[in-house]
Amino acid sequence: MTTLQELLEAIENRTAHVGIIGLGYVGLPLVLLFEEQGFKVTGFDVDSSKVEKLSRGESYIRHIGVERIAEAFKRRADATVDFNRLTECDAIVICVPTPLGTHREPDLKYIRVTTETIARHLRKRQLIVLESTTYPGTTREELLPRLEASGLKCGTDFFLAFSPEREDPGNESFNTRNIPKVVGGIDADSLKAAETLYGSIIERVVPVASTEVAESAKLLENIFRSVNIALVNELKVVFDRMGIDVWQVIEAAKTKPFGFMPFYPGPGLGGHCIPLDPFYLTWKAAEYGTWARFIELAGEINTSMPRYVIDRTTDAINRSGKSIVGATVLVLGLSYKADIDDDRESPSFELIELLQERGAKVSYCDPFIPVAKRGRKHDLGMTSAPCTAEEFAKYDAVLIATQHSAFKDRALYKNAKLVIDTRNIVPSDAAAVVVRA
Ligand SMILES: NC(=O)c1ccc[n+]([C@@H]2O[C@H](COP(=O)([O-])OP(=O)(O)OC[C@H]3O[C@@H](n4cnc5c(N)ncnc54)[C@H](O)[C@@H]3O)[C@@H](O)[C@H]2O)c1
């Protein structure tokens, strides 16, 4: 039996042991899914507090239920900070962060360190899959040589593939199991191994010609969103000058049953993916003497939105007869997206900081984030104000940044003096003054 056949058989009869490196928003759901589908799974992370929580059956990601974790870790899952245990695994899936550096350059240090760790423990008949979002060429240029430096050969001794993650936290219709999974291999046998692995837990696997196609497909998906969001953000500014409500325009346009997909304006991009990933491609494009102008332009427009919203807020406060200096403002929502507790790259931080720069006294309210966490870039040192009409009435302005369901109750705004709504969730007559921005 060849090495590939042995691996395929182990996957098919569920004796393969799966290792997941990086137990965050992407890695943790994968641990659970592999375990629930009958695999022995070990999660690896450098953050010992996550490992300890999982070992106690606790969750640290709100939308991932504690019961699922407790059950999985009672049965076949475990978590560790001991990377020597990678040798136990037949398949290793890498889900570590891929942030941007200070000059918007890809920061591959997590991928590189992880690959070097795997290389030290690499053995025959292992499949390595990268899931972290990155520029085309990463798997072949960064992972392959580091892994082959072990002396083992890809395609005969071990297998290497890329498969992008498409998680949509908080989405009730789509989860890891029913979102189709694109897979590209370094060679035909690597593709076969990765297809078999994911085919055993995911409803539909989409094999593609190479790791580069798989890497690029993920970027295209995120660039598509970034560019379209930038387009409506720009149109919001244009229509606003013309006295036209962009939200009414979108509602009308989206009645077209073909050839149109609605995107909505907002106070700026947030999350781990859309504000960051497109720049992985612009960086790589330069190596080939080419430009990705749409991505740069979309980035420019989207990053200017927090300032636009604060200009409009300042204006509205001035019109109410107050100065922005000393005005009290309540920002609604710290997470970047509705009804989740993920605050990574959230534009709310910039909104708060810009208001403070202008002299306003700022508080925030977010039922999902009772205490503002210290992040890499921000440290607000604040706790959430209560989500009540009495509280909202205390401020000179309430600025809606996130469309949490809890903020859609119009009664909350009945005594509010001024509401700046960047999400179109409050009717115009819900407060004394409502401004869309
Ligand atoms: N969050 C999403 O919705 C989403 C969607 C699609 C793709 N992605 C991509 O998936 C990747 C992971 O994103 P995430 O949201 O899960 O990030 P995350 O920050 O939630 O989790 C990453 C985990 O990796 C751990 N880690 C860091 N360095 C490590 C190392 N050297 N060894 C082991 N563990 C290490 C961290 O402690 C953390 O627990 C990124 O490339 C991201 O772009 C994320």
Side-chain angles (χ1 to χ4, degrees):
M1 213 191 271
T2 65
T3 316
L4 177 66
Q5 284 165 340
E6 279 174 21
L7 178 60
L8 298 185
E9 200 179 288
I11 295 170
E12 275 153 11
N13 64 26
R14 301 287 199 268
T15 53
H17 184 158
V18 179
I20 309 288
I21 305 183
L23 303 174
Y25 286 82
V26 171
L28 184 54
L30 269 182
V31 169
L32 299 180
L33 187 55
F34 272 112
E35 195 284 332
E36 286 158 1
Q37 297 299 314
F39 288 91
K40 165 118 191 68
V41 190
T42 300
F44 297 83
D45 205 295
V46 288
D47 182 344
S48 56
S49 70
K50 284 185 178 153
V51 166
E52 283 157 20
K53 279 196 176 130
L54 293 175
S55 306
R56 291 197 298 266
E58 294 168 15
S59 180
Y60 43 80
I61 299 180
R62 192 179 172 123
H63 68 271
I64 301 179
V66 68
E67 304 77 29
R68 266 186 91 195
I69 292 176
E71 286 297 311
F73 280 78
K74 246 189 270 159
R75 287 184 307 239
R76 288 170 293 265
D78 67 347
T80 182
V81 290
D82 178 8
F83 288 74
N84 291 318
R85 292 191 51 206
L86 284 170
T87 46
E88 294 170 21
C89 303
D90 301 291
I92 297 172
V93 182
I94 305 170
C95 308
V96 295
T98 44
L100 288 177
T102 37
H103 302 101
R104 274 207 211 114
E105 73 286 4
D107 178 357
L108 290 190
K109 70 169 170 287
Y110 301 98
I111 288 186
R112 290 189 182 123
V113 166
T114 302
T115 309
E116 281 156 14
T117 307
I118 296 172
R120 283 199 294 281
H121 299 98
L122 195 66
R123 60 157 173 81
K124 274 196 160 190
R125 214 197 72 163
Q126 276 182 321
L127 164 66
I128 316 297
V129 187
L130 178 62
E131 288 219 7
S132 305
T133 309
T134 183
Y135 57 76
T138 306
T139 310
R140 200 176 298 278
E141 294 161 13
E142 297 286 337
L143 276 75
L144 183 60
R146 284 180 171 79
L147 294 173
E148 288 198 330
S150 65
L152 296 175
K153 189 112 194 64
C154 182
T156 44
D157 299 322
F158 72 94
F159 306 96
L160 178 59
F162 180 85
S163 181
E165 175 52 51
R166 284 171 162 165
E167 200 67 20
D168 186 15
N171 188 320
E172 307 227 316
S173 318
F174 293 103
N175 53 51
T176 321
R177 185 158 164 70
N178 67 6
I179 298 172
K181 193 95 171 93
V182 169
V183 179
I186 285 288
D187 47 57
D189 284 357
S190 292
L191 176 60
K192 181 74 192 152
E195 224 186 319
T196 307
L197 179 73
Y198 287 112
S200 61
I201 61 159
I202 286 169
E203 286 171 12
R204 183 170 165 232
V205 176
V206 184
V208 297
S210 63
T211 49
E212 286 79 4
V213 171
E215 290 160 336
S216 304
K218 171 70 186 177
L219 290 183
L220 171 59
E221 291 163 17
N222 285 348
I223 292 163
F224 173 79
R225 288 187 61 75
S226 166
V227 167
N228 280 287
I229 292 168
L231 176 65
V232 284
N233 275 334
E234 184 170 73
L235 291 179
K236 169 174 82 168
V237 177
V238 172
F239 287 138
D240 181 52
R241 284 276 178 87
M242 299 166 81
I244 299 166
D245 182 338
V246 68
W247 296 93
Q248 292 177 10
V249 176
I250 297 168
E251 281 309 299
K254 83 179 198 201
T255 59
K256 184 180 178 186
F258 46 87
F260 182 80
M261 182 185 281
F263 283 84
Y264 299 96
L269 295 182
H272 189 320
C273 296
I274 299 168
L276 309 181
D277 301 345
F279 296 107
Y280 268 69
L281 189 61
T282 51
W283 181 88
K284 190 67 176 171
E287 189 180 312
Y288 293 83
T290 182
W291 304 99
R293 282 170 294 173
F294 264 110
I295 299 174
E296 296 285 3
L297 181 59
E300 189 185 320
I301 293 171
N302 288 327
T303 51
S304 74
M305 293 323 292
R307 203 164 279 277
Y308 172 79
V309 167
I310 295 308
D311 284 346
R312 297 282 317 267
T313 305
T314 306
D315 228 39
I317 289 174
N318 286 343
R319 274 173 205 279
S320 73
K322 287 245 162 200
S323 162
I324 184 76
V325 178
T328 53
V329 183
L330 180 68
V331 173
L332 298 191
L334 209 53
S335 51
Y336 78 91
K337 167 172 179 177
D339 299 335
I340 61 165
D341 64 348
D342 189 349
D343 63 359
R344 290 177 299 172
E345 307 297 325
S346 170
S348 300
F349 290 105
E350 200 178 340
L351 297 175
I352 291 171
E353 284 163 2
L354 287 170
L355 284 166
Q356 287 172 334
E357 259 173 41
R358 293 186 188 194
K361 295 193 188 98
V362 192
S363 307
Y364 85 91
C365 166
D366 193 320
F368 291 85
I369 307 180
V371 179
K373 286 171 270 183
R374 208 169 106 195
R376 270 192 316 141
K377 296 190 210 150
H378 312 278
D379 184 11
L380 296 180
M382 292 182 184
T383 54
S384 173
C387 187
T388 62
E390 295 70 42
E391 182 70 17
F392 290 12
K394 290 183 193 162
Y395 296 85
D396 294 320
V398 173
L399 167 55
I400 301 173
T402 314
Q403 67 275 43
H404 287 321
S405 305
F407 299 151
K408 291 184 179 164
D409 176 6
R410 62 172 290 153
L412 282 171
Y413 306 91
K414 62 178 191 276
N415 297 320
K417 301 176 189 90
L418 168 64
V419 177
I420 316 292
D421 184 1
T422 69
R423 299 292 188 175
N424 197 35
I425 60 173
V426 173
S428 307
D429 58 355
V433 181
V434 177
V435 174
R436 310 230 180 271

